[in-house]
Amino acid sequence: MPNPKVTLQRRWHPRRWFIQGLLISLPIGLTIYVVLMVGGWVDSIFAAPIQAIFGMDIPGLGIILTLLCIFAVGFLASHVLTAWIFERINMLLERIPVLHSIYSTIQETVELLFGGKERGFRSAVLLRQGGDMGYLVGLITRDHLAELPTIADEDCVAVFIPMSYGVGGFTCVVPRSKIIPLPDLSPQQALRFAMAGGVGSGRAARDKALQTENPEQS
């Protein structure tokens, strides 16, 4: 005869339920928190004009106006008649000593993240460390380094090494022959892998392997 107390203890798993609930609710809660925090900051950009015009706060209207402004700037910057205005603003910011460093750094970072293949991360690679230290996951940011005269005769590339669990990283200038390409890994996947410290289920890799083994199911 089974012991009813033992059977009840096996069915009652509060620790497992708590961990499972934490694994599910924490990512969802943090994602919602970040979205609300960023959305609240964007929404507050036009808070004063909205209050002055309508006499009340309208939640979400600031986000809509910000998106419209972004589209308007992109539309104007893509036309010859109005593009010169942004070129003059760009030239002015580049001539101011203090603002030049801040503006150029932000501009290059935004172009790196959202500039596509021409200005963004080119590809994912592995960079071997010295001795038996293993490999570093990196992202090629520049294919040619003509502005570095000391290595102008060498075939070198610039590789960005992201930091795990943080914002930042460092850039290495290495010979092209020293890097190992990762053609099956997109730059976004490599960046996510490196920033998460390699922690993850590898679901995308497993799905791709299953599709390769069973192409009739895809």
Side-chain angles (χ1 to χ4, degrees):
M1 292 292 293
N3 191 344
K5 184 178 295 186
V6 176
T7 305
L8 181 62
Q9 289 178 352
R10 289 180 179 177
R11 293 180 180 179
W12 179 254
H13 300 288
R15 182 174 178 273
R16 187 185 66 182
W17 294 342
F18 178 79
I19 295 176
Q20 185 175 3
L22 186 65
L23 292 174
I24 295 175
S25 61
L26 189 59
I28 296 175
L30 290 178
T31 302
I32 295 176
Y33 174 76
V34 172
V35 170
L36 292 177
M37 183 178 64
V38 175
W41 176 77
V42 174
D43 196 27
S44 64
I45 295 177
F46 289 94
I50 292 174
Q51 180 68 31
I53 296 174
F54 298 98
M56 58 181 299
D57 294 330
I58 303 178
L61 184 57
I63 298 177
I64 297 176
L65 294 177
T66 302
L67 294 176
L68 290 177
C69 288
I70 294 175
F71 279 110
V73 170
F75 174 78
L76 295 175
S78 62
H79 288 72
V80 180
L81 297 178
T82 53
W84 66 272
I85 299 177
F86 299 98
E87 293 179 359
R88 296 297 184 274
I89 296 175
N90 185 46
M91 293 173 58
L92 177 63
L93 293 174
E94 289 182 348
R95 291 178 181 178
I96 302 175
V98 178
L99 292 180
H100 166 67
S101 301
I102 301 175
Y103 174 72
S104 60
T105 302
I106 296 176
Q107 183 185 38
E108 292 176 359
T109 303
V110 173
E111 290 179 351
L112 188 65
L113 294 175
F114 303 102
K117 293 184 178 180
E118 295 182 357
R119 296 182 178 180
F121 295 122
R122 299 311 201 261
S123 58
V125 296
L126 286 178
L127 180 61
R128 185 179 182 87
Q129 301 186 84
D132 297 329
M133 296 297 292
Y135 302 87
L136 293 173
V137 177
L139 301 157
I140 294 182
T141 58
R142 294 286 300 277
D143 291 315
H144 304 284
L145 303 171
E147 66 269 34
L148 299 179
T150 56
I151 58 171
D153 298 333
E154 302 181 32
D155 187 14
C156 294
V157 295
V159 181
F160 174 72
I161 308 297
M163 296 176 58
S164 299
Y165 299 104
V167 178
F170 55 94
T171 303
C172 298
V173 178
V174 297
R176 193 184 300 271
S177 59
K178 299 296 183 180
I179 60 176
I180 303 175
L182 297 173
D184 295 333
L185 198 65
S186 67
Q188 292 76 17
Q189 291 173 331
L191 182 63
R192 185 167 59 248
F193 175 86
M195 294 186 67
V199 177
S201 60
R203 185 183 306 168
R206 291 202 306 268
D207 292 344
K208 187 174 182 179
L210 291 175
Q211 291 179 2
T212 303
E213 295 175 359
N214 303 309
E216 66 277 359
Q217 296 181 0
S218 58

